[in-house]
Amino acid sequence: MDFNMKKLASDAGIFFTRAVQFTEEKFGQAEKTELDAHFENLLARADSTKNWTEKILRQTEVLLQPNPRPRWQFLANSARVEEFLYEKLDRKVPSRVTNGELLAQYMSEAANELGPETPYGKTLIKVGETEKRLGAAERDFIHSASINFLTPLRNFLEGDWRTISKERRILQNRRLDLDACKARLKKAKAAEAKAAAVPDFQETRPRNYILSASASALWSDEVDKAEQELRVAQTEFDRQAEVTRLLLEGISSTHVNHLRCLQEFVESQATYYAQCYRHMLDLQKQLGRFPGTFVGNTEPASSPLSSASLATAAATIPVMPTVAGMPSAGEAAISLDDVALPASGTRKARVLYDYEAADSSELALLADELITVYSLPGMDPDWLIGERGNRKGKVPVTYLELLS
């Protein structure tokens, strides 16, 4: 290999000069060029952005793919390594079965083996179908979050931040060169002043006058050379500082981009949880129709997610006063066609999601439509009476937004 010895020696000399300057600064034996306060604030904000982006990225990955128990740690690590390799090779990661879908498969196989016509088998099938839907929703959420949130964060750390770090290292080297030139010029001026000092005519020989004049001229040339090197170093430092400043100011654009990605992540997460909530409500409703599904539990099932809201709704929904001759709770079921709309005490409600009536006592709903709702004595707090035109029926509270 053909080495350029002159360039190699020059680079080694520059590296040695920078190392000496850096060491003397650490021991307080050399002056250091300080950056302005605005520049220091930009550096601090960039460092904070990088550190918090790394933490948010790692924790989001944990959220989307939680760390399993030690028994499954190896498999999880293998999956993450596989995803990393596919990403580096710019290849599409093959779809992987989610935990919900795998649970659905086990439940379906168990139902077929234990008897699909038994109450337990029927329940396994229904729960398995819901778990499969939940798994599909989870996979869509993970895919959306990875593209819209994780990928932009990784691109910043692996792209923009690496560029910023590279330019900051160059700026640090330019500063060390500048300070080394300042120190060299200071030493040259001190030596020139010493050489130019007038010698003692009585104690100094004539030969020393010649040597003193020669040394003074040499140091004068050295000062000129040091001043020229200082001007070049100052120019290079100023140019590199401007480049680094522009990159650091670009962090504001990074924040705007990450804000948009964060909003998309929240929307994806909200959609995912809404889908899960609807699937579980439908499953709860289906299981309530199976005889013997909840043996020993005669209380109506209510969603844990809506317990607080139902308590508020129960306090604000008007209750139709008891009419003489009307059956009470525990007696024969109330015929909805015989119930007249109360003159007062009704409320309007907006439908949040589509709802398919399970039987003739319920009212089918369409998202965003407005209906009139009220409560009857002894009704399940999870349900209200809804009316739309000439049709009426029971409607679930969780599908409604009560209007004032």
Side-chain angles (χ1 to χ4, degrees), residues 143-152 260-262 264-265 268:
H143 178 71
S144 176
S146 177
I147 293 178
N148 298 326
F149 189 60
L150 294 182
T151 299
R260 178 183 58 81
C261 297
L262 183 61
E264 293 179 355
F265 173 73
S268 300

Side-chain angles (χ1 to χ4, degrees), residues 189-359:
K189 286 184 176 180
E192 181 188 27
K194 183 178 180 180
V198 179
D200 190 339
F201 287 93
Q202 296 178 354
E203 298 181 359
T204 307
R205 297 179 180 179
R207 174 180 173 82
N208 289 341
Y209 292 114
I210 300 176
L211 294 176
S212 177
S214 177
S216 178
L218 289 175
W219 282 115
S220 179
D221 293 341
E222 186 67 22
V223 168
D224 293 340
K225 182 180 178 181
E227 288 177 344
Q228 176 63 25
E229 291 178 351
L230 178 60
R231 286 192 293 269
V232 173
Q234 185 69 55
T235 301
E236 292 180 351
F237 173 77
D238 293 340
R239 184 186 302 114
Q240 185 60 36
E242 184 62 23
V243 171
T244 308
R245 183 191 302 272
L246 291 175
L247 289 174
L248 294 174
E249 290 176 347
I251 292 293
S252 298
S253 300
T254 300
H255 288 179
V256 173
N257 183 42
H258 287 182
L259 173 61
R260 178 183 58 81
C261 297
L262 183 61
Q263 291 172 341
E264 293 179 355
F265 173 73
V266 171
E267 291 178 2
S268 300
Q269 196 171 27
T271 301
Y272 166 62
Y273 285 128
Q275 290 175 344
C276 294
Y277 184 49
R278 289 197 296 270
H279 291 327
M280 295 310 298
L281 282 180
D282 292 340
L283 174 63
Q284 192 178 47
K285 182 178 175 182
Q286 293 174 11
L287 294 183
R289 302 196 193 108
F290 284 6
T293 302
F294 299 105
V295 179
N297 183 11
T298 58
E299 295 295 329
S302 60
S303 171
L305 295 177
S306 61
S307 57
S309 60
L310 289 179
T312 304
T316 56
I317 287 294
V319 179
M320 186 175 177
T322 306
V323 181
M326 179 179 292
S328 59
E331 299 178 359
I334 299 174
S335 176
L336 295 177
D337 294 334
D338 298 336
V339 177
L341 180 67
S344 61
T346 62
R347 292 183 65 174
K348 291 291 185 180
R350 184 175 68 87
V351 179
L352 299 176
Y353 318 108
D354 293 344
Y355 178 75
E356 183 179 353
D359 51 47

Side-chain angles (χ1 to χ4, degrees), residues 3-14:
F3 287 101
N4 188 336
M5 296 302 298
K6 185 179 294 186
K7 184 177 183 304
L8 184 62
S10 176
D11 292 342
I14 293 175

Side-chain angles (χ1 to χ4, degrees), residues 92-220:
K92 182 179 179 181
V93 180
S95 59
R96 188 177 291 107
V97 177
T98 62
N99 294 329
E101 291 173 324
L102 186 60
L103 177 60
Q105 178 182 343
Y106 290 164
M107 287 184 173
S108 177
E109 294 174 356
N112 292 331
E113 184 172 342
L114 299 176
E117 299 301 326
T118 62
Y120 182 43
K122 290 181 180 179
T123 304
L124 280 173
I125 292 175
K126 286 296 182 182
V127 175
E129 292 173 353
T130 301
E131 292 296 336
K132 185 176 181 180
R133 297 190 189 99
L134 294 176
E138 179 186 5
R139 184 173 61 250
D140 293 340
F141 166 58
I142 293 176
H143 178 71
S144 176
S146 177
I147 293 178
N148 298 326
F149 189 60
L150 294 182
T151 299
L153 297 186
R154 289 197 192 98
N155 290 341
F156 166 72
L157 294 174
E158 298 176 1
D160 295 347
W161 181 253
R162 288 186 178 179
T163 302
I164 292 175
S165 300
K166 176 183 175 182
E167 298 301 328
R168 287 178 65 176
R169 288 193 297 269
I170 296 176
L171 178 62
Q172 174 72 355
N173 291 335
R174 294 288 182 265
R175 187 196 62 75
L176 290 173
D177 294 341
L178 175 63
D179 290 336
C181 289
K182 290 180 179 180
R184 189 179 304 116
L185 176 61
K186 184 177 180 180
K187 292 178 181 178
K189 286 184 176 180
E192 181 188 27
K194 183 178 180 180
V198 179
D200 190 339
F201 287 93
Q202 296 178 354
E203 298 181 359
T204 307
R205 297 179 180 179
R207 174 180 173 82
N208 289 341
Y209 292 114
I210 300 176
L211 294 176
S212 177
S214 177
S216 178
L218 289 175
W219 282 115
S220 179

